[in-house]
Amino acid sequence: GMATPERAVTPVGAMKLLEPCQLKPDSTETERILTVLDETITKLEMTRLIPRIIGSLERFARLLGPEITGSLLEHQKLSNEVQHLLSSPGEEEIKRAREQCLKCSLRHILRLFLANPLLCQGLKYEVQVGRSPADVFIKAFVEFRDFTLEKILTSPTEEKEKIKVVEEMSLRVDQNKETITALQAELAAAIQSQKEEVDKKDKMIEDLKTTMENLAKDCKADIRQMQLEGKKQQKEKVKASQERCARLQEDIQHMQAQFTSLVLEHRASELVLRKRKCRLEVEIENWIQKYDTDMAEKEATYKHIQAVYTEEKAQLAQLMEKHALLLQEYSQIEEERRMLKQKEEEELQKEAKRNRAATCIQAYWKGYLARIIFKAKLKKARAKKKGKGKGKGAKK
């Protein structure tokens, strides 16, 4: 029998993996990366326009303003000087120094342009620039920016799962194609084998006919019998061959139906994927519009905060000046207080020393007086004792 190929069915889980995911980028990191890439694209576009602007500087002078016009004139002078130095031999250090100045001048001009986004937009429409190699680089960088955004918004797990599902689907299609090819080869081999067998039988019949013709004169009855048997065998073989061919044809039709079903199924899957891709593109466009709106609102908020910050910074400078004066006066007052406190402490120390000295003097004086009084009393007591002793002696 012939092997029946498995029906390629796309799993429900695999189809869910191919659906557009909810775009929830990290607001801080993603916006920083996209801001850097967008600013780089703007710088590249403005760098492409600068030579044409310098060539028609009188036309754009009023639109650019004195600061940008002066910077462009200085940049033109530096550019001419660098070209002159590059065309002349030697002076490598001077060339490097002037090239560095030219780069700094270009960065300064780009900062001035980026500080005025409306001016950049106006110049893009006003300045007409032909096709140049820079356009290819800018286009490639824009594609890199879109590719980076897509990579940022797709997690590594989702990316791996999508790649795995697509590879599984491709593997199943290849397996089905290999099965169909093998069945077709088997059918062709069977048809060829049947054809060879029929040819062999035909050749055998021809040989039998020749033999029958040679033996016709001797054994006509035998020849007729052999002819009848040969025809009967031929009919049976032909019938068996026809039945086998019919079975093979049915198998071919069955395989063709399976192949058609697989093609229709894969086309339906492809249509679903295309619709989802369209939804993804629409969703990305909506996110871009939302991003532009949010950035415009944030830019307005930033300008308002910048104005408030500038005003508060000026007030802070005034307060800092007042604080410095007050701090100086406070330092002087503290110094005077410290000097007064030091004088008071010195006076207190002197007063304490005088008090201790007076206390010591008074203590010594009191002790001296007490000793004098005690000595006087002692003398009186001794005198009384002597008087009493003399009186007792006289009485005896």
Side-chain angles (χ1 to χ4, degrees):
M2 303 178 65
T4 303
E6 295 182 358
R7 183 180 177 84
V9 180
T10 304
V12 178
M15 297 305 294
K16 289 184 178 179
L17 289 174
L18 297 175
E19 293 181 355
C21 60
Q22 297 293 329
L23 302 179
K24 295 182 180 178
D26 183 358
S27 60
T28 303
E29 296 298 330
T30 302
E31 289 180 2
R32 286 178 181 174
I33 293 171
L34 294 180
T35 300
V36 171
L37 294 176
D38 291 338
E39 287 182 357
T40 304
I41 293 170
T42 304
K43 289 179 181 178
L44 291 173
E45 292 176 348
M46 294 308 301
T47 304
R48 176 172 168 269
L49 298 178
I50 285 175
R52 294 300 301 269
I53 295 173
I54 293 176
S56 305
L57 195 58
E58 295 180 356
R59 174 187 171 191
F60 299 107
R62 182 177 297 177
L63 178 64
L64 297 174
E67 185 178 3
I68 299 178
T69 303
S71 300
L72 290 173
L73 291 173
E74 183 67 23
H75 182 75
Q76 186 180 13
K77 291 179 183 178
L78 289 172
S79 179
N80 295 332
E81 185 177 351
V82 170
Q83 289 179 359
H84 177 69
L85 290 172
L86 291 175
S87 62
S88 61
E91 300 179 351
E92 295 297 330
E93 294 183 359
I94 298 176
K95 289 180 182 179
R96 286 194 293 269
R98 301 313 294 171
E99 286 177 355
Q100 188 65 31
C101 292
L102 184 64
K103 292 178 182 178
C104 294
S105 174
L106 179 60
R107 285 196 292 268
H108 177 65
I109 291 171
L110 290 175
R111 290 192 193 99
L112 294 176
F113 278 125
L114 290 176
N116 193 345
L118 295 178
L119 177 61
C120 295
Q121 293 295 328
L123 290 174
K124 289 179 184 178
Y125 292 107
E126 290 290 334
V127 180
Q128 301 295 327
V129 181
R131 301 288 296 177
S132 65
D135 296 334
V136 180
F137 180 75
I138 293 171
K139 183 179 179 182
F141 197 86
V142 171
E143 292 176 355
F144 170 72
R145 185 259 186 198
D146 297 336
F147 178 75
T148 304
L149 176 61
E150 182 180 355
K151 285 294 181 183
I152 290 172
L153 298 180
T154 303
S155 65
T157 305
E158 293 175 349
E159 186 72 20
K160 291 179 181 178
E161 290 178 353
K162 288 182 180 179
I163 293 173
K164 184 177 179 182
V165 170
V166 173
E167 289 177 352
E168 289 178 355
M169 292 176 65
S170 300
L171 181 61
R172 289 184 180 180
V173 172
D174 294 337
Q175 291 176 351
N176 291 332
K177 287 182 179 179
E178 291 177 358
T179 304
I180 291 171
T181 303
L183 290 173
Q184 289 177 348
E186 185 179 351
L187 176 61
I191 293 173
Q192 183 66 25
S193 176
Q194 184 68 26
K195 184 178 179 181
E196 291 176 356
E197 187 176 354
V198 171
D199 292 339
K200 185 178 180 181
K201 295 295 182 182
D202 290 340
K203 186 177 179 181
M204 185 182 296
I205 292 170
E206 291 295 332
D207 293 339
L208 290 173
K209 285 181 179 180
T210 304
T211 305
M212 288 169 63
E213 288 176 357
N214 293 329
L215 297 175
K217 295 177 180 180
D218 299 329
C219 49
K220 292 181 179 179
D222 294 335
I223 291 172
R224 288 193 186 95
Q225 185 66 29
M226 291 176 65
Q227 286 178 349
L228 292 173
E229 291 179 357
K231 289 180 181 180
K232 184 178 179 180
Q233 290 179 358
Q234 183 181 6
K235 288 180 180 179
E236 291 176 355
K237 295 291 184 181
V238 170
K239 184 177 180 181
S241 176
Q242 290 176 351
E243 290 177 355
R244 188 171 183 182
C245 287
R247 288 196 301 271
L248 292 174
Q249 190 66 30
E250 289 178 357
D251 292 338
I252 291 172
Q253 292 177 355
H254 180 65
M255 294 304 300
Q256 287 289 343
Q258 287 185 348
F259 177 75
T260 304
S261 176
L262 288 173
V263 170
L264 293 175
E265 183 178 354
H266 288 300
R267 284 180 180 174
S269 301
E270 181 182 4
L271 181 61
V272 172
L273 292 175
R274 288 181 180 276
K275 290 181 179 179
R276 288 173 181 165
K277 180 183 177 184
C278 292
R279 288 201 299 271
L280 268 176
E281 292 176 351
V282 171
E283 190 171 356
I284 291 171
E285 184 65 25
N286 293 333
W287 275 102
I288 292 173
Q289 292 178 359
K290 183 179 179 182
Y291 169 78
D292 294 337
T293 305
D294 293 342
M295 288 303 296
E297 293 177 356
K298 290 180 179 180
E299 184 177 2
T301 306
Y302 171 76
K303 289 181 179 179
H304 176 69
I305 294 173
Q306 185 68 23
V308 175
Y309 170 75
T310 304
E311 183 180 356
E312 291 182 353
K313 188 175 180 181
Q315 294 177 0
L316 178 62
Q318 294 177 359
L319 292 174
M320 289 298 291
E321 292 176 359
K322 292 181 180 179
H323 178 264
L325 294 174
L326 292 174
L327 185 61
Q328 185 177 1
E329 293 177 359
Y330 176 76
S331 299
Q332 292 176 357
I333 293 170
E334 284 293 322
E335 183 65 22
E336 291 176 358
R337 288 179 179 177
R338 189 184 65 77
M339 294 298 292
L340 290 174
K341 186 176 181 180
Q342 185 176 359
K343 288 181 181 180
E344 289 177 357
E345 289 178 353
E346 290 176 356
E347 291 294 332
L348 289 173
Q349 290 176 0
K350 290 179 180 180
E351 185 67 23
K353 287 181 181 180
R354 287 195 293 267
N355 291 335
R356 286 196 298 271
T359 303
C360 289
I361 292 170
Q362 289 177 1
Y364 280 116
W365 176 251
K366 289 179 179 179
Y368 175 72
L369 291 178
R371 285 193 295 273
I372 291 174
I373 293 169
F374 180 73
K375 286 179 180 180
K377 290 182 178 180
L378 187 60
K379 285 179 180 181
K380 288 180 181 181
R382 287 178 180 176
K384 287 181 179 181
K385 285 181 180 181
K386 287 180 180 181
K388 289 179 179 181
K390 289 178 178 182
K392 288 180 179 181
K395 290 178 180 180
K396 290 179 177 180

